[in-house]
Amino acid sequence: MAGPLLQLSHVHASYGPVHALRGVNVTVNEGEIVTLIGANGAGKSTLLMTICGNPKPTQGQILFQDKSLVGIPPHLIATQGIAQVPEGRRIFPRMTVLENLQLGATLADPAHFAEDLATCYGLFPILEKRQAQRAGTLSGGEQQMLAISRALMSRPRMLLLDEPSLGLAPLIIRQIFQVIEQLNRERGMTILLVEQNAYHALKLAHRAYVLASGEVVLTGSGRELLANEQVRAAYLEGGAH
Amino acid sequence: MAAPIPSPTGPAMPFVHRLREAVIAGLVAMALAVPFLGLRTVNLDQGLVVQANLAYVPLAGAVVFLGRLILGLLAAPLAKAAAPLATWRPPAGAQRLRPWGGPLLVLAAAALPFLPFANRYVIDLGTTALIYILLATGLNITVGLAGLLDLGFAAFYAIGAYTCALTTTQLHWGFWPALAAGGLASSLFAVLLSLPILRLRGDYLAIVTLGFGEITRIVILNWQGLTGGPNGVSGIARPTLFSLTFDRRAPAGGHTFSEVTGIAYAPEHRLIFLYLIILALTALAAYTVARLRRLPIGRAWEALREDEIACRSLGINPTMVKVSAYATGALMGGLAGCFFAARQGFVSPESFGFMESATILAIVVLGGMGSQAGVIIAALFIVVLPELARGFADYRMLAFGLAMILIMIWKPGGLLSGRLPTIRLSNAKPKPVAEAA
Ligand SMILES: Nc1ncnc2c1ncn2[C@@H]1O[C@H](COP(=O)(O)OP(=O)(O)OP(=O)(O)O)[C@@H](O)[C@H]1O
Ligand SMILES: [Mg+2]
């Protein structure tokens, strides 16, 4: 393959009068973890949602495996090999853990189901214990694990994660980040990670983008940004966690 | 689901508050009583005259005050008494019997017409109950599983009934092809209707479906040439058993059931036969829904109810899911309509008004949104209870309404609100997880 796995060039997106993305350029290469940090309302979630076709970009190009994603209806984006763990998890609360995972495998070959299920239970053993439980009754951390597992069930080439650490205790955050790292290291999963938790995200990521008011204001390797004065001042006040 | 709303009649309220509440209720009642009870129009020689009779006003206030006070005081003990009812779960052993529940119920229902007490009236009531179960099973797919509120379901019922009526009377089809046509026509209509309303949710969807229900009825009422308008259609074909009729005398070139089997003719046979085929079809519908819930399509219905954005991110096409939910639900509504037409031998637009949609929806909601067993219990309740209360004549709808309110107080999630997982796990104990009640 010639180009990067995912490439956004000059992408604009709006919600009615709100111009949420203003010409964003982001590249994600095969096998990378790329993180996107920025203040509340910077447009991070919008960026992930735009990749998934809702809202549609008003300008610019989105290429995935050299194929344009612009104009593909949202439910067909997943068929391209992109799995999204949306902001706020969005598990199916009244359905059981196992049913949630089955729904995650909607696009996958049923022959893989048992194997993929075992993989998810291997990553998050607690889910196996909870598999007959209604997903809405899981703890926040367990729900996040379920949301990630559900996305993995479709065997994606790329995972989009929107604030997986949201509202979780430090211990659980560490576990989630370990799994993200493990997915990348052992299985070469390409990951685009949106995070408020800039310290963890930058430590983990190969490369990072800082988004402000719908624009990329800074980019570099995770390590560089971690050392950057501006980033430290804006997103890492209080130093290391 | 919504968290339980702290009830104003909750147990923790001190007496003074209850008193104040009752006083307020009484005052409101008095204010309302002035126009409703205090002023009457009387037809005298000079024409309509308004007469003031304000004696009713304090009376209404007093009645409401006392009623509110008593209700408030009784609420706590009542809720306490009903608490075990609300949290009741079948014993652990009963889980193993579950797969047998359906077949046993069908067998018991099939035996009903042959029991000693089963007269025409009982069989007829059973048939009505089954028609409602079939209707509610269909609506349960759209409302209970896919979460798409539909206030105009009677439209599909009507289309099924009229298709059956018109194909048998105008085209001289037999009952069975007409049944298939009724189901299909209804389903097709649902597909067409669902296309413009795909983007709507919640309140807006409810209003639009309400409109569709009424439009359908009004079109039927006014399309005199085709539907006979308010006069309806009569002479609808009765079901036959392998082309045997259940009439006293065979039609030209045909045979009757009693001729061929040698069983003496009885007018009940036709009723029993109709009852049994509705039973078979309803059982088949319930079984199909149970199967569908375990297939990707059924799971997608439920997932759509839970979260449309998540569905899209998993590659589920919400359009297809919605259309299929409407179409499958309407198919069952259409079949029920055919049975209704065949049983009455006559259809008219009156039978398909908003009350009909509301009744079917009440069955689904009362049954606990999505629960098949709940639908059956609620349908029996709604059909049979008013019949039992026939002796009370005018008060019967009042008693019925009261019973509905009580159920909703005790079981706000419906009679059977626990959603059964679609997958059984051999190692884990599956427990039906009830809504926080
Ligand atoms: N559905 C929507 N309709 C209208 N405006 C929206 C919508 N979603 C987001 N916005 C607006 O777009 C801008 C970017 O929002 P976005 O959710 O992408 O921010 P974010 O970077 O993810 O923030 P956070 O870290 O708080 O999640 C905000 O100004 C927000 O108000
Ligand atoms: Mg966000």
Side-chain angles (χ1 to χ4, degrees):
Chain A
M1 196 173 51
L5 187 61
L6 177 75
Q7 184 166 31
L8 286 80
S9 352
H10 312 292
V11 170
H12 288 255
S14 321
Y15 299 101
V18 182
H19 197 166
L21 293 181
R22 300 157 185 267
V24 174
N25 293 303
V26 167
T27 313
V28 183
N29 297 307
E30 180 103 52
E32 265 186 331
I33 301 181
V34 170
T35 189
L36 212 59
I37 59 176
N40 290 117
K44 307 180 296 296
S45 301
T46 306
L47 184 77
L48 291 200
M49 292 303 291
T50 310
I51 296 171
C52 295
N54 180 30
K56 289 189 172 63
T58 49
Q59 271 182 57
Q61 182 57 278
I62 303 176
L63 294 176
F64 183 71
Q65 298 180 308
D66 296 330
K67 186 170 175 255
S68 174
L69 295 183
V70 179
I72 298 185
H75 68 270
L76 292 181
I77 298 284
T79 62
Q80 306 293 313
I82 297 179
Q84 188 200 18
V85 181
E87 189 168 25
R89 303 170 190 130
R90 293 187 175 269
I91 50 153
F92 302 116
R94 298 221 296 166
M95 307 181 81
T96 66
V97 168
L98 189 53
E99 284 168 338
N100 268 269
L101 294 173
Q102 284 184 317
L103 280 157
T106 301
L107 293 174
D109 181 349
H112 298 153
F113 182 77
E115 188 191 328
D116 293 347
L117 193 66
T119 311
C120 288
Y121 288 163
L123 292 171
F124 301 112
I126 187 78
L127 290 184
E128 185 164 14
K129 291 204 195 96
R130 301 270 184 267
Q131 62 177 341
Q133 193 172 322
R134 210 156 53 113
T137 64
L138 296 178
S139 78
E142 289 161 357
Q143 291 189 10
Q144 187 63 58
M145 297 176 195
L146 177 59
I148 295 176
S149 301
R150 187 180 65 180
L152 289 174
M153 290 301 287
S154 66
R155 297 203 161 187
R157 294 210 49 183
M158 180 170 184
L159 203 55
L160 310 180
L161 295 169
D162 198 340
E163 296 202 40
S165 73
L166 192 74
L168 303 186
L171 204 66
I172 306 289
I173 297 184
R174 198 160 308 148
Q175 191 192 347
I176 301 253
F177 276 70
Q178 261 165 18
V179 167
I180 294 172
E181 203 250 43
Q182 186 186 348
L183 280 173
N184 174 261
R185 181 166 35 83
E186 290 175 4
R187 306 209 278 143
M189 179 70 73
T190 310
I191 294 167
L192 180 55
L193 171 69
V194 163
E195 257 307 331
Q196 287 284 349
N197 206 319
Y199 176 74
H200 278 286
L202 291 175
K203 257 181 62 173
L204 187 71
H206 300 114
R207 287 187 310 108
Y209 293 85
V210 180
L211 213 61
S213 311
E215 282 173 281
V216 174
V217 291
L218 207 60
T219 172
S221 74
R223 204 166 301 215
E224 278 164 17
L225 290 196
L226 210 49
N228 183 296
E229 280 309 316
Q230 276 170 284
V231 173
R232 292 190 76 89
Y235 306 107
L236 296 171
E237 280 137 306
H241 293 227
Chain B
M1 290 252 97
I5 301 153
S7 144
T9 54
M13 207 185 261
F15 182 72
V16 210
H17 283 203
R18 297 214 180 286
L19 205 61
R20 196 176 64 195
E21 210 179 64
V23 169
I24 294 173
L27 289 176
V28 171
M30 275 163 73
L32 288 175
V34 172
F36 285 128
L37 298 173
L39 303 175
R40 305 204 146 204
T41 50
V42 184
N43 207 350
L44 294 182
D45 295 340
Q46 314 92 296
L48 274 183
V49 173
V50 177
Q51 271 187 357
N53 191 354
L54 295 178
Y56 283 116
V57 173
L59 187 68
V63 168
V64 170
F65 168 76
L66 281 179
R68 180 70 209 161
L69 194 64
I70 291 169
L71 197 68
L73 293 177
L74 283 184
L78 266 181
K80 207 167 181 185
L85 208 71
T87 54
W88 186 82
R89 297 274 168 278
Q95 284 298 341
R96 250 173 292 131
L97 295 177
R98 250 206 127 259
W100 298 99
L104 281 176
L105 197 63
V106 173
L107 279 182
L112 175 79
F114 307 105
L115 296 179
F117 64 84
N119 49 23
R120 287 184 76 111
Y121 172 69
V122 168
I123 299 169
D124 215 41
L125 198 59
T127 308
T128 309
L130 282 170
I131 289 178
Y132 276 104
I133 292 174
L134 185 55
L135 283 167
T137 302
L139 185 62
N140 199 24
I141 295 176
T142 5
V143 177
L145 295 182
L148 305 162
L149 190 52
D150 186 347
L151 294 182
F153 194 68
F156 303 132
Y157 186 32
I159 288 165
Y162 269 89
T163 306
C164 187
L166 294 175
T167 50
T168 61
T169 55
Q170 310 282 322
L171 307 176
H172 307 290
W173 290 14
F175 170 76
W176 294 102
L179 178 69
L184 286 179
S186 189
S187 202
L188 201 68
F189 193 69
V191 171
L192 294 180
L193 280 193
S194 65
L195 292 176
I197 58 180
L198 284 170
R199 297 164 147 271
L200 304 177
R201 289 224 79 146
D203 316 357
Y204 301 100
L205 184 65
I207 292 169
V208 173
T209 53
L210 179 70
F212 277 147
E214 281 304 285
I215 290 170
T216 308
R217 191 179 60 84
I218 291 168
V219 166
I220 291 175
L221 192 62
N222 288 293
W223 197 343
Q224 294 259 1
L226 184 69
T227 64
N231 301 326
V233 181
S234 53
I236 297 163
R238 307 288 191 173
T240 52
L241 177 64
F242 302 114
S243 76
L244 301 180
T245 69
F246 288 83
D247 298 327
R248 187 183 294 274
R249 253 176 275 284
H255 297 281
T256 70
F257 175 71
S258 57
E259 271 174 21
V260 173
T261 57
I263 301 170
Y265 168 79
E268 282 86 35
H269 286 169
R270 198 183 68 218
L271 287 179
I272 297 178
F273 177 62
L274 192 71
Y275 173 86
L276 290 178
I277 53 179
I278 299 184
L279 176 63
L281 205 88
T282 307
L284 184 68
Y287 175 76
T288 310
V289 173
R291 295 294 311 195
L292 284 176
R293 276 193 58 201
R294 277 174 220 151
L295 296 177
I297 178 70
R299 241 182 268 130
W301 287 338
E302 289 197 74
L304 185 79
R305 174 193 68 201
E306 310 274 279
D307 197 319
E308 191 166 332
I309 291 186
C311 278
R312 271 201 227 106
S313 81
L314 298 176
I316 296 167
N317 182 352
T319 307
M320 287 314 296
V321 177
K322 286 182 190 179
V323 172
S324 65
Y326 273 115
T328 318
L331 175 71
M332 292 179 187
L335 294 175
C338 286
F339 282 117
F340 175 79
R343 181 181 72 161
Q344 312 287 100
F346 167 74
V347 289
S348 77
E350 273 162 49
S351 316
F352 308 105
F354 173 66
M355 267 314 288
E356 211 56 30
S357 298
T359 306
I360 305 164
L361 187 64
I363 294 175
V364 173
V365 174
L366 215 54
M369 298 274 237
S371 159
Q372 183 62 44
V375 159
I376 294 169
I377 297 171
L380 288 175
F381 174 82
I382 287 207
V383 173
V384 176
L385 192 81
E387 291 298 323
L388 292 183
R390 233 175 224 293
F392 300 105
D394 288 350
Y395 297 105
R396 109 180 203 235
M397 285 321 276
L398 198 67
F400 178 67
L402 197 67
M404 296 256 278
I405 292 174
L406 287 179
I407 288 182
M408 280 313 175
I409 290 177
W410 281 329
K411 301 221 93 185
L415 290 170
L416 294 179
S417 53
R419 177 186 171 277
L420 281 168
T422 58
I423 323 155
R424 304 259 115 173
L425 300 166
S426 42
N427 51 352
K429 284 185 237 67
K431 22 182 186 293
V433 258
E435 292 296 2

mmCIF file of all heavy atoms in Angstrom, chain B residues 161-187:
data_model
loop_
_atom_site.group_PDB
_atom_site.id
_atom_site.type_symbol
_atom_site.label_atom_id
_atom_site.label_comp_id
_atom_site.label_asym_id
_atom_site.label_seq_id
_atom_site.Cartn_x
_atom_site.Cartn_y
_atom_site.Cartn_z
ATOM 1 N N ALA B 161 -57.869 -6.715 7.080
ATOM 2 C CA ALA B 161 -59.288 -7.088 7.080
ATOM 3 C C ALA B 161 -59.945 -6.747 5.746
ATOM 4 O O ALA B 161 -60.664 -7.565 5.165
ATOM 5 C CB ALA B 161 -59.998 -6.364 8.218
ATOM 6 N N TYR B 162 -59.668 -5.553 5.236
ATOM 7 C CA TYR B 162 -60.298 -5.145 3.976
ATOM 8 C C TYR B 162 -59.741 -5.916 2.788
ATOM 9 O O TYR B 162 -60.474 -6.218 1.842
ATOM 10 C CB TYR B 162 -60.170 -3.629 3.776
ATOM 11 C CG TYR B 162 -61.360 -2.905 4.344
ATOM 12 C CD1 TYR B 162 -61.362 -2.500 5.667
ATOM 13 C CD2 TYR B 162 -62.489 -2.682 3.575
ATOM 14 C CE1 TYR B 162 -62.462 -1.864 6.210
ATOM 15 C CE2 TYR B 162 -63.596 -2.050 4.105
ATOM 16 C CZ TYR B 162 -63.582 -1.637 5.423
ATOM 17 O OH TYR B 162 -64.674 -1.022 5.955
ATOM 18 N N THR B 163 -58.457 -6.231 2.811
ATOM 19 C CA THR B 163 -57.912 -7.041 1.720
ATOM 20 C C THR B 163 -58.622 -8.379 1.671
ATOM 21 O O THR B 163 -59.035 -8.867 0.612
ATOM 22 C CB THR B 163 -56.410 -7.248 1.916
ATOM 23 O OG1 THR B 163 -55.793 -5.991 2.074
ATOM 24 C CG2 THR B 163 -55.804 -7.974 0.730
ATOM 25 N N CYS B 164 -58.781 -8.960 2.850
ATOM 26 C CA CYS B 164 -59.461 -10.244 2.936
ATOM 27 C C CYS B 164 -60.908 -10.096 2.447
ATOM 28 O O CYS B 164 -61.390 -10.877 1.621
ATOM 29 C CB CYS B 164 -59.419 -10.703 4.390
ATOM 30 S SG CYS B 164 -60.032 -12.337 4.632
ATOM 31 N N ALA B 165 -61.566 -9.050 2.924
ATOM 32 C CA ALA B 165 -62.968 -8.850 2.562
ATOM 33 C C ALA B 165 -63.125 -8.663 1.059
ATOM 34 O O ALA B 165 -63.978 -9.280 0.425
ATOM 35 C CB ALA B 165 -63.512 -7.632 3.307
ATOM 36 N N LEU B 166 -62.280 -7.822 0.468
ATOM 37 C CA LEU B 166 -62.453 -7.491 -0.948
ATOM 38 C C LEU B 166 -62.007 -8.627 -1.858
ATOM 39 O O LEU B 166 -62.649 -8.891 -2.876
ATOM 40 C CB LEU B 166 -61.694 -6.201 -1.275
ATOM 41 C CG LEU B 166 -62.264 -4.969 -0.563
ATOM 42 C CD1 LEU B 166 -61.411 -3.750 -0.831
ATOM 43 C CD2 LEU B 166 -63.711 -4.732 -0.985
ATOM 44 N N THR B 167 -60.925 -9.308 -1.509
ATOM 45 C CA THR B 167 -60.497 -10.399 -2.393
ATOM 46 C C THR B 167 -61.518 -11.530 -2.374
ATOM 47 O O THR B 167 -61.745 -12.171 -3.394
ATOM 48 C CB THR B 167 -59.117 -10.950 -2.006
ATOM 49 O OG1 THR B 167 -59.100 -11.224 -0.619
ATOM 50 C CG2 THR B 167 -57.992 -10.008 -2.363
ATOM 51 N N THR B 168 -62.151 -11.785 -1.221
ATOM 52 C CA THR B 168 -63.119 -12.887 -1.223
ATOM 53 C C THR B 168 -64.446 -12.479 -1.856
ATOM 54 O O THR B 168 -65.061 -13.281 -2.543
ATOM 55 C CB THR B 168 -63.378 -13.437 0.201
ATOM 56 O OG1 THR B 168 -63.921 -12.395 0.997
ATOM 57 C CG2 THR B 168 -62.120 -13.979 0.823
ATOM 58 N N THR B 169 -64.868 -11.222 -1.660
ATOM 59 C CA THR B 169 -66.168 -10.863 -2.221
ATOM 60 C C THR B 169 -66.085 -10.428 -3.686
ATOM 61 O O THR B 169 -66.921 -10.801 -4.487
ATOM 62 C CB THR B 169 -66.831 -9.729 -1.407
ATOM 63 O OG1 THR B 169 -65.930 -8.627 -1.349
ATOM 64 C CG2 THR B 169 -67.171 -10.181 -0.009
ATOM 65 N N GLN B 170 -65.042 -9.649 -4.026
ATOM 66 C CA GLN B 170 -64.963 -9.145 -5.400
ATOM 67 C C GLN B 170 -64.286 -10.145 -6.335
ATOM 68 O O GLN B 170 -64.712 -10.331 -7.464
ATOM 69 C CB GLN B 170 -64.169 -7.831 -5.451
ATOM 70 C CG GLN B 170 -64.617 -6.787 -4.460
ATOM 71 C CD GLN B 170 -65.872 -6.078 -4.913
ATOM 72 O OE1 GLN B 170 -66.035 -5.817 -6.093
ATOM 73 N NE2 GLN B 170 -66.775 -5.803 -3.996
ATOM 74 N N LEU B 171 -63.217 -10.747 -5.862
ATOM 75 C CA LEU B 171 -62.455 -11.644 -6.735
ATOM 76 C C LEU B 171 -62.794 -13.108 -6.495
ATOM 77 O O LEU B 171 -62.264 -13.988 -7.151
ATOM 78 C CB LEU B 171 -60.947 -11.417 -6.517
ATOM 79 C CG LEU B 171 -60.451 -9.978 -6.639
ATOM 80 C CD1 LEU B 171 -58.973 -9.880 -6.305
ATOM 81 C CD2 LEU B 171 -60.701 -9.462 -8.052
ATOM 82 N N HIS B 172 -63.651 -13.345 -5.508
ATOM 83 C CA HIS B 172 -64.092 -14.701 -5.176
ATOM 84 C C HIS B 172 -62.944 -15.631 -4.839
ATOM 85 O O HIS B 172 -62.941 -16.800 -5.210
ATOM 86 C CB HIS B 172 -64.955 -15.275 -6.304
ATOM 87 C CG HIS B 172 -66.068 -14.349 -6.644
ATOM 88 N ND1 HIS B 172 -67.133 -14.119 -5.795
ATOM 89 C CD2 HIS B 172 -66.250 -13.534 -7.714
ATOM 90 C CE1 HIS B 172 -67.933 -13.219 -6.328
ATOM 91 N NE2 HIS B 172 -67.420 -12.836 -7.497
ATOM 92 N N TRP B 173 -61.945 -15.087 -4.135
ATOM 93 C CA TRP B 173 -60.873 -15.945 -3.653
ATOM 94 C C TRP B 173 -61.383 -16.717 -2.449
ATOM 95 O O TRP B 173 -62.330 -16.305 -1.786
ATOM 96 C CB TRP B 173 -59.669 -15.103 -3.199
ATOM 97 C CG TRP B 173 -58.936 -14.450 -4.322
ATOM 98 C CD1 TRP B 173 -59.355 -14.303 -5.607
ATOM 99 C CD2 TRP B 173 -57.652 -13.842 -4.242
ATOM 100 N NE1 TRP B 173 -58.405 -13.632 -6.345
ATOM 101 C CE2 TRP B 173 -57.357 -13.341 -5.528
ATOM 102 C CE3 TRP B 173 -56.725 -13.667 -3.224
ATOM 103 C CZ2 TRP B 173 -56.164 -12.689 -5.812
ATOM 104 C CZ3 TRP B 173 -55.550 -13.011 -3.498
ATOM 105 C CH2 TRP B 173 -55.261 -12.535 -4.790
ATOM 106 N N GLY B 174 -60.700 -17.820 -2.161
ATOM 107 C CA GLY B 174 -61.022 -18.547 -0.934
ATOM 108 C C GLY B 174 -60.382 -17.847 0.249
ATOM 109 O O GLY B 174 -59.635 -16.875 0.092
ATOM 110 N N PHE B 175 -60.657 -18.363 1.454
ATOM 111 C CA PHE B 175 -60.131 -17.731 2.655
ATOM 112 C C PHE B 175 -58.612 -17.767 2.700
ATOM 113 O O PHE B 175 -57.969 -16.765 3.036
ATOM 114 C CB PHE B 175 -60.697 -18.421 3.901
ATOM 115 C CG PHE B 175 -60.008 -17.981 5.169
ATOM 116 C CD1 PHE B 175 -60.291 -16.748 5.733
ATOM 117 C CD2 PHE B 175 -59.059 -18.790 5.777
ATOM 118 C CE1 PHE B 175 -59.651 -16.335 6.889
ATOM 119 C CE2 PHE B 175 -58.408 -18.379 6.938
ATOM 120 C CZ PHE B 175 -58.705 -17.150 7.496
ATOM 121 N N TRP B 176 -58.032 -18.912 2.348
ATOM 122 C CA TRP B 176 -56.590 -19.062 2.556
ATOM 123 C C TRP B 176 -55.754 -18.137 1.683
ATOM 124 O O TRP B 176 -54.872 -17.448 2.211
ATOM 125 C CB TRP B 176 -56.168 -20.527 2.403
ATOM 126 C CG TRP B 176 -56.774 -21.352 3.514
ATOM 127 C CD1 TRP B 176 -57.859 -22.175 3.426
ATOM 128 C CD2 TRP B 176 -56.357 -21.379 4.883
ATOM 129 N NE1 TRP B 176 -58.151 -22.711 4.648
ATOM 130 C CE2 TRP B 176 -57.240 -22.249 5.567
ATOM 131 C CE3 TRP B 176 -55.346 -20.749 5.605
ATOM 132 C CZ2 TRP B 176 -57.125 -22.505 6.931
ATOM 133 C CZ3 TRP B 176 -55.225 -21.012 6.958
ATOM 134 C CH2 TRP B 176 -56.099 -21.876 7.609
ATOM 135 N N PRO B 177 -56.024 -18.086 0.373
ATOM 136 C CA PRO B 177 -55.270 -17.086 -0.406
ATOM 137 C C PRO B 177 -55.541 -15.664 0.071
ATOM 138 O O PRO B 177 -54.635 -14.818 0.076
ATOM 139 C CB PRO B 177 -55.766 -17.279 -1.841
ATOM 140 C CG PRO B 177 -56.822 -18.289 -1.814
ATOM 141 C CD PRO B 177 -56.848 -18.945 -0.491
ATOM 142 N N ALA B 178 -56.761 -15.417 0.520
ATOM 143 C CA ALA B 178 -57.083 -14.068 1.002
ATOM 144 C C ALA B 178 -56.284 -13.749 2.257
ATOM 145 O O ALA B 178 -55.865 -12.607 2.467
ATOM 146 C CB ALA B 178 -58.580 -13.951 1.285
ATOM 147 N N LEU B 179 -56.086 -14.767 3.087
ATOM 148 C CA LEU B 179 -55.302 -14.570 4.307
ATOM 149 C C LEU B 179 -53.880 -14.142 3.952
ATOM 150 O O LEU B 179 -53.348 -13.169 4.491
ATOM 151 C CB LEU B 179 -55.271 -15.873 5.117
ATOM 152 C CG LEU B 179 -54.462 -15.864 6.408
ATOM 153 C CD1 LEU B 179 -55.115 -14.984 7.446
ATOM 154 C CD2 LEU B 179 -54.301 -17.277 6.958
ATOM 155 N N ALA B 180 -53.289 -14.877 3.007
ATOM 156 C CA ALA B 180 -51.931 -14.541 2.595
ATOM 157 C C ALA B 180 -51.893 -13.134 2.004
ATOM 158 O O ALA B 180 -51.007 -12.332 2.323
ATOM 159 C CB ALA B 180 -51.439 -15.560 1.576
ATOM 160 N N ALA B 181 -52.909 -12.825 1.180
ATOM 161 C CA ALA B 181 -52.947 -11.505 0.550
ATOM 162 C C ALA B 181 -53.075 -10.409 1.602
ATOM 163 O O ALA B 181 -52.421 -9.360 1.514
ATOM 164 C CB ALA B 181 -54.113 -11.432 -0.432
ATOM 165 N N GLY B 182 -53.887 -10.652 2.613
ATOM 166 C CA GLY B 182 -54.089 -9.659 3.672
ATOM 167 C C GLY B 182 -52.801 -9.363 4.406
ATOM 168 O O GLY B 182 -52.440 -8.201 4.622
ATOM 169 N N GLY B 183 -52.092 -10.437 4.773
ATOM 170 C CA GLY B 183 -50.824 -10.250 5.472
ATOM 171 C C GLY B 183 -49.831 -9.493 4.615
ATOM 172 O O GLY B 183 -49.191 -8.538 5.067
ATOM 173 N N LEU B 184 -49.732 -9.887 3.355
ATOM 174 C CA LEU B 184 -48.750 -9.260 2.469
ATOM 175 C C LEU B 184 -49.088 -7.810 2.182
ATOM 176 O O LEU B 184 -48.215 -6.942 2.201
ATOM 177 C CB LEU B 184 -48.653 -10.045 1.158
ATOM 178 C CG LEU B 184 -47.907 -11.379 1.272
ATOM 179 C CD1 LEU B 184 -47.883 -12.092 -0.068
ATOM 180 C CD2 LEU B 184 -46.490 -11.146 1.788
ATOM 181 N N ALA B 185 -50.380 -7.557 1.931
ATOM 182 C CA ALA B 185 -50.785 -6.180 1.615
ATOM 183 C C ALA B 185 -50.445 -5.261 2.780
ATOM 184 O O ALA B 185 -49.909 -4.158 2.598
ATOM 185 C CB ALA B 185 -52.278 -6.137 1.326
ATOM 186 N N SER B 186 -50.735 -5.750 3.962
ATOM 187 C CA SER B 186 -50.489 -4.959 5.151
ATOM 188 C C SER B 186 -48.995 -4.674 5.320
ATOM 189 O O SER B 186 -48.581 -3.562 5.633
ATOM 190 C CB SER B 186 -51.035 -5.759 6.322
ATOM 191 O OG SER B 186 -51.029 -5.045 7.462
ATOM 192 N N SER B 187 -48.221 -5.706 5.073
ATOM 193 C CA SER B 187 -46.778 -5.595 5.205
ATOM 194 C C SER B 187 -46.200 -4.614 4.183
ATOM 195 O O SER B 187 -45.353 -3.772 4.497
ATOM 196 C CB SER B 187 -46.198 -6.992 4.978
ATOM 197 O OG SER B 187 -44.954 -7.107 5.548
#
